[in-house]
Amino acid sequence: AQKITQTQPGMFVQEKEAVTLDCTYDTSDPSYGLFWYKQPSSGEMIFLIYQGSYDQQNATEGRYSLNFQKARKSANLVISASQLGDSAMYFCAMREYLTGNQFYFGTGTSLTVIP
Amino acid sequence: DADVTQTPRNRITKTGKRIMLECSQTKGHDRMYWYRQDPGLGLRLIYYSFDVKDINKGEISDGYSVSRQAQAKFSLSLESAIPNQTALYFCATSWGGRATDTQYFGPGTRLTVL
C-alpha cells in the first residue's frame, strides 16, 4: 500500500485565492511526522511545514497551514492568498519513527496560479 | 553558503560509464540520503546512511552504490550507467531520533545517460 497518496496531479487557483492540496497517509506507527515541500521549476526542494502526530493544533507557517485530520489520516496543505510565485510542484511526505525514520513521499501535485 | 551541496549539478554521460555524484553538508546532521526523481513518480529512496558505519539500501538500490566517507560526505556511484538512470538526483540530510525532524535537500544533480 502507498504510504503517501496525493490524488491531485494538477491544480489551478486564481491569484489571491486560497487552495487546498490533498494528502492522505497510511501508517500504524503512533509516532510520525508529516511534511510538505515545494519544488519550483528550478528544481530545488524547499521545506514548507510539518505536523507531528502528537500535535494537538494544526501547524501554520505564514500563508501555509496544514489541515491535520488524524482519524481520516489526512494532512492537507492550505495556501492562503495565492501568489504567482506559488506555482510549483508540491510534495507531501511522512516520516515514521519506528521504521528507522525513513521518509516516504507522494507523487506530487502541480499547482498553477492564474493571474 | 548552502548547507547541503551536490556536485556536479549537471552531467551528461554515455552508457557503460562510471559516474560518481557527491554530496557534502555543513548542518552537522547524522543522517544522509540519496533519492532520484522521475516525472510522475515523486522521490524514490536509493540509499540512506545513519552514520559513517551504517548504510542501508532503499527502495531502488540496484545499479547504485554509495560511500559515506565522513559524517559530512555521502557519495553515490553508478558503476555502469544505463539510460533509464537518467533522472534528477537529490541528496538530503536530517537529524535522527525524532519523527518531526525534517530533511534538508541539496540543489539536485541532473544526470543524463545517453
Side-chain angles (χ1 to χ4, degrees):
Chain A
Q2 290 286 342
K3 290 280 190 180
I4 294 288
T5 302
Q6 294 180 253
T7 58
Q8 306 156 313
M11 289 282 287
F12 292 86
V13 64
Q14 205 76 36
E15 193 177 7
K16 299 181 184 177
E17 297 290 314
V19 63
T20 298
L21 306 184
D22 295 340
C23 173
T24 57
Y25 60 93
D26 182 30
T27 183
S28 56
D29 190 336
S31 179
Y32 54 90
L34 297 157
F35 305 85
W36 278 92
Y37 296 86
K38 172 183 178 181
Q39 186 179 39
S41 59
S42 53
E44 70 268 32
M45 294 286 285
I46 302 167
F47 165 67
L48 295 178
I49 194 169
Y50 87 91
Q51 179 88 38
S53 58
Y54 296 116
D55 294 342
Q56 296 295 313
Q57 293 193 331
N58 288 342
T60 59
E61 288 286 348
R63 294 187 298 110
Y64 304 109
S65 60
L66 201 153
N67 184 0
F68 180 45
Q69 298 188 40
K70 195 170 184 177
R72 294 185 178 184
K73 293 189 175 180
S74 74
N76 298 338
L77 177 69
V78 181
I79 305 174
S80 62
S82 297
Q83 301 172 357
L84 296 178
D86 294 333
S87 293
M89 284 289 292
Y90 288 82
F91 290 95
C92 179
M94 176 177 67
R95 182 179 190 177
E96 294 174 318
Y97 180 74
L98 290 177
T99 57
N101 276 238
Q102 287 188 56
F103 286 78
Y104 302 93
F105 285 82
T107 53
T109 295
S110 176
L111 176 67
T112 302
V113 180
I114 303 167
Chain B
D1 288 341
D3 295 318
V4 185
T5 57
Q6 292 182 234
T7 55
R9 294 292 313 278
N10 291 280
R11 182 72 183 268
I12 299 173
T13 190
K14 294 182 178 180
T15 298
K17 294 292 187 181
R18 184 177 188 274
I19 297 297
M20 179 179 286
L21 309 182
E22 298 187 344
C23 177
S24 294
Q25 55 121 342
T26 58
K27 299 190 76 67
H29 290 163
D30 51 350
R31 299 184 179 210
M32 298 187 74
Y33 308 77
W34 275 105
Y35 294 91
R36 66 175 279 175
Q37 183 180 19
D38 299 275
L41 295 179
L43 274 73
R44 292 183 292 167
L45 183 63
I46 306 172
Y47 271 94
Y48 60 104
S49 170
F50 287 172
D51 65 37
V52 175
K53 296 180 181 179
D54 185 358
I55 293 177
N56 306 277
K57 292 182 177 180
E59 178 186 355
I60 52 162
S61 59
D62 287 350
Y64 302 95
S65 62
V66 291
S67 172
R68 185 87 182 260
Q69 302 95 322
Q71 187 186 24
K73 296 184 182 296
F74 193 37
S75 300
L76 176 71
S77 293
L78 288 68
E79 297 301 324
S80 179
I82 56 177
N84 78 0
Q85 291 177 313
T86 293
L88 180 58
Y89 289 84
F90 285 105
C91 173
T93 72
S94 74
W95 288 116
R98 295 195 314 170
T100 51
D101 288 326
T102 189
Q103 281 185 324
Y104 295 89
F105 286 84
T109 294
R110 291 193 181 275
L111 177 65
T112 302
V113 183
L114 301 176

